[in-house]
Amino acid sequence: MKRYLSVFEMITRSSIYKVLMILVGMVTVEAVCFYLSMINPSGLNIEEYIDQSQYSLIFKLAYVLVTIVIVLPGMNLGTVQSYTLQRLRIKENRIFWIQALYNVFAYVLLWGTQLMMLLGSAWIYQNNLPEGAVWTTQTLFLAFHRNEFMHTILPIEDVPGWWMIALAGITLALATAGFTRLQRKRKFGFELLILVAATLIYFPRQLGYDIAFMVLIYTFIYVVMGFRAISENLGGD
């Protein structure tokens, strides 16, 4: 167990500070854009201010940067990390699952930070409403229901939406861990590129056929990764 914790700590230290810097940058840019949108109130509702501030585009950029940051250190490009893993004598498939666990944590951080930013923006909007304007919990609930980006981040009562968030996080974590594992074996993990491209193209989308399509994409990538992982194990670690 101590060896596994050492690997998790090493993987965490290799990128966690960069991930945090990306999240700080995302929050800063979104805050500036939201402030500029709010300087001259034009009677827009909170959803329109969110769209006008380009939160979705900024989040997508942060998502790509986080993916790059958590992938690069795991390729064993650094001799120190490679030497440490060899000393610990942990099988490659165990490293894969430890890496995947950390990657889930990184994506949860990204999602949680964006959710807090949306709630914070709603609070600022509420406190800057003109006198006599009505704002209730139901108003915020409707905002998250009507706006595509807000609804994708927080589906509220939409159960398929929550399944999509969980499926996306787990599949992305496996795909990034699988990508680094294949790179160490001098093979190319095409699954991750397909997954990132599909997410960028189809996020965010309202409920309907797009949700079903994304479920199929994520499931397909997961199945392909599973078969490749099995073939790698059969080949020996």
Side-chain angles (χ1 to χ4, degrees), residues 42-53:
S42 51
L44 300 178
N45 56 37
I46 181 61
E47 309 102 275
E48 292 168 327
Y49 277 119
I50 293 296
D51 286 340
Q52 189 171 290
S53 302

Side-chain angles (χ1 to χ4, degrees), residues 10-11 71-86 92 95 99 180-181 183-186:
M10 182 182 63
I11 291 173
V71 160
L72 289 179
M75 293 181 184
N76 259 357
L77 299 177
T79 55
V80 175
Q81 188 181 69
S82 178
Y83 174 71
T84 304
L85 289 175
Q86 289 174 2
E92 187 71 24
I95 297 173
Q99 176 76 58
T180 56
R181 180 182 181 183
Q183 286 291 106
R184 288 195 293 269
K185 293 177 175 291
R186 301 188 182 281

